[in-house]
Amino acid sequence: MNITRRNILKTTLAASTAVALPHLWLPGSGEAWGATLKKGEPIKVGLLFSLTGSLAVPEEDSTLVMQYAIDEINKAGGVAGVPVEPVIVDAKSDFAVYSEKAKELILRDKVIAIFGCYTSASRKAILPTVMQRNHLLYYPTCYEGAECTQNTICTGPLANQHSKDLIPFMVGNFGKKVFFVGSNYVWPKESNKNAKIWLEQAGGELLGEEYIPLGSSEFGPVLNKIRDAKPDFIFSTVVGASDIAFHKQFKQEGFKVDDMPIASLTTGEIETRAMGAEFGAGHFLSAPYFQTLDNPTNHKFVEGFLASKYGKNGVTHYNMEETYISAYVFKAGFEKAAAEVGFENVTPRSIRDHSGGLVIEDAVSPEGQVWIDKDNFNTWLKPKIGQCQADGTFKVVKAAAEQVAPDPYSIYPDLGVCTANGLKAPDGSIRKNVI
């Protein structure tokens, strides 16, 4: 072998990579990618949420409630009789960190699935890795749709399950004129494409549309434009710490909720607690879950979680509940796959493939019965609209009578239909992993 500077550099790089990520596959090692399961050893799952930064307001609670759900599952015998072990990562509200940590969870920690992300930007940052490794992501919050992958299971609402009801409700109760405000990334912009269609169908009028940088807390210029436009209500897709700043500055600038309420897809109990109930009172949220839902399973969930060591922030929330449900979707999908192929042969993809049609019953789901669509692997659920009260809780003012089917391409019917094998176009062709 010729000893050259290039060979030395290649050897050094390989060695340093092996030290940093000891379970990474290296050429010639013969080691397989991904998780390996052995009876008697815990099942590792990754929790990839932000514990610091502008997205920590909702995402820390997702990490906490996943730990609560895992403890609950383990106390009841685990998954397929085996305990679950969470590998907890702080994504630091940085999309590059999400991507880096997803690779580490899959390749170094060898988790069987990842639960994570709150924004579509972070989800799209990790999906290339998840798809390349044929792995599995549970995405437990609302998103915009227009996506059809074979490696995700989503337990939150799509646009046709929240803004489709919220927009006409607001137009009918407060007036036709609306101003859109959102954080500047893919979910708010794509959600607003949907909302514009619902608004037109409701006979409404869009007066303005503004986006602010993700994590920004400066809303003075936007509020000045809103003051000049005089809308009947504001439709908000602002997220994280920015959402808290927006609601506080709305009140501080003299805007009155009775004259111009904010209708949001994100401002729930967590955000209201962080900002102070006086800044949230009177405004509206569309979500499948509220802490005040009156049913035995939700009472048990709320009381158990808040009394646990994970309930330090004092509330439950739609994003937390959707995360909690995802733990039980994982348990059911894993056990179904294990019964079919054997415990040690379960893979991330086999869990996904055995999850279509899974039902999470009333006795487990705090929001009531939901199920995973057998084609697009999103969730059938009951949309609800709540109004924030003076104490920071939400009163449900409208609720769907039946579960609504998730439709990721509701405003793009010409693109096709999401099936279990990929996006099926009108001409019959199928494209896999469309993001």
Side-chain angles (χ1 to χ4, degrees), residues 174 281-285 290 385-389 393-397:
F174 297 98
H283 297 298
F284 292 86
L285 170 70
F290 295 95
I385 298 171
Q387 185 177 30
C388 187
Q389 306 297 293
T393 64
F394 282 76
K395 178 182 178 181
V396 176
V397 294

Side-chain angles (χ1 to χ4, degrees), residues 66-264:
M66 266 303 296
Q67 293 176 81
Y68 174 76
I70 289 170
D71 281 0
E72 193 174 67
I73 288 169
N74 285 344
K75 288 174 184 176
V79 172
V82 177
V84 178
E85 177 185 323
V87 181
I88 300 170
V89 175
D90 179 9
K92 302 179 180 179
S93 302
D94 185 323
F95 303 137
V97 175
Y98 280 100
S99 178
E100 172 194 346
K101 296 302 181 182
K103 293 173 185 175
E104 290 184 7
L105 285 169
I106 294 171
L107 304 177
R108 182 187 68 190
D109 299 306
K110 298 202 169 190
V111 300
I112 193 72
I114 295 174
F115 298 79
C117 305
Y118 175 71
T119 68
S120 288
S122 54
R123 185 185 74 255
K124 289 181 182 293
I126 74 169
L127 272 179
T129 296
V130 172
M131 294 186 299
Q132 182 184 15
R133 303 304 170 203
N134 204 15
H135 215 266
L136 179 59
L137 169 67
Y138 288 85
Y139 184 66
T141 192
C142 58
Y143 80 111
E144 68 282 358
E147 191 170 283
C148 184
T149 84
Q150 285 63 69
N151 301 90
T152 54
I153 295 174
C154 302
T155 53
L158 288 162
N160 76 295
Q161 296 170 309
H162 53 180
S163 58
K164 188 174 184 179
D165 284 346
L166 182 60
I167 292 292
F169 173 86
M170 296 300 296
V171 169
N173 285 278
F174 297 98
K176 297 180 178 181
K177 298 178 180 180
V178 59
F179 200 104
F180 286 4
V181 182
S183 296
N184 192 13
Y185 71 102
V186 61
W187 175 71
K189 291 183 176 180
E190 191 64 31
S191 291
N192 284 342
K193 289 181 182 178
N194 286 265
K196 288 174 187 175
I197 292 176
W198 318 142
L199 181 64
E200 182 179 359
Q201 292 177 354
E205 178 185 357
L206 181 60
L207 302 183
E209 183 175 3
E210 292 290 325
Y211 296 94
I212 58 99
L214 192 63
S216 174
S217 60
E218 178 49 62
F219 285 90
V222 172
L223 288 170
N224 286 336
K225 291 181 180 180
I226 291 172
R227 195 187 306 277
D228 291 341
K230 298 181 175 61
D232 296 313
F233 70 95
I234 298 166
F235 179 66
S236 172
T237 48
V238 180
V239 304
S242 299
D243 187 26
I244 294 165
F246 180 45
H247 278 74
K248 293 181 77 169
Q249 289 172 39
F250 174 92
K251 186 176 178 68
Q252 291 163 352
E253 288 293 321
F255 290 91
K256 304 295 184 184
V257 67
D258 291 340
D259 298 329
M260 191 190 302
I262 299 171
S264 175

Side-chain angles (χ1 to χ4, degrees), residues 14-34:
S16 62
T17 302
V19 170
L21 297 174
H23 296 290
L24 272 172
W25 176 86
L26 295 174
S29 72
E31 185 174 353
W33 295 102

Side-chain angles (χ1 to χ4, degrees), residues 28 34 39 45 52 56 148 157 175 186 190 193 211 221 223 228 294 316 328 337 339 349 363 424:
K39 268 290 189 182
V45 297
T52 55
C148 184
V186 61
E190 191 64 31
K193 289 181 182 178
Y211 296 94
L223 288 170
D228 291 341
D294 187 13
T316 60
Y328 282 91
R349 181 56 183 269
K424 186 175 182 180

Side-chain angles (χ1 to χ4, degrees), residues 290-305:
F290 295 95
Q291 182 174 318
T292 52
L293 292 184
D294 187 13
N295 67 68
T297 301
N298 187 47
H299 295 325
K300 178 184 175 184
F301 169 62
V302 172
E303 292 167 8
F305 176 74

Side-chain angles (χ1 to χ4, degrees), residues 9 18 21 37 44 50 53 73 94 113 141 207 259 286 297 343 360 384 409:
L9 287 173
L21 297 174
L37 296 170
K44 287 186 176 183
S50 289
I73 288 169
D94 185 323
T141 192
L207 302 183
D259 298 329
S286 178
T297 301
F343 179 88
I360 306 301
K384 302 173 184 70
Y409 289 89

